[in-house]
Amino acid sequence: MKTINYKNPLVASYLLLGGIFFIISFSKGFPFFLLGAIFIFWGIKENNKLA
């Protein structure tokens, strides 16, 4: 498993937004869960491009 490059602003912003939307999804429902999952997925994808 590759290490996550938190110092890259693009990776960090995707993971931060994904985490925020994931937490909001507990009270607001499924669409926010999808947004969170998509942002986290994009963050992992960007991280893999850098490695």
Side-chain angles (χ1 to χ4, degrees):
M1 188 167 171
K2 298 176 185 174
T3 58
I4 297 175
N5 189 2
Y6 291 111
K7 292 182 181 178
N8 185 317
L10 190 59
V11 173
S13 63
Y14 279 143
L15 294 177
L16 178 67
L17 285 173
I20 290 171
F21 279 122
F22 184 74
I23 291 170
I24 291 173
S25 74
F26 289 117
S27 63
K28 297 290 184 182
F30 187 70
F32 286 94
F33 174 77
L34 277 178
L35 277 174
I38 288 170
F39 275 121
I40 290 172
F41 178 71
W42 282 345
I44 293 170
K45 214 163 114 174
E46 284 295 323
N47 187 56
N48 287 341
K49 284 184 189 176
L50 295 174

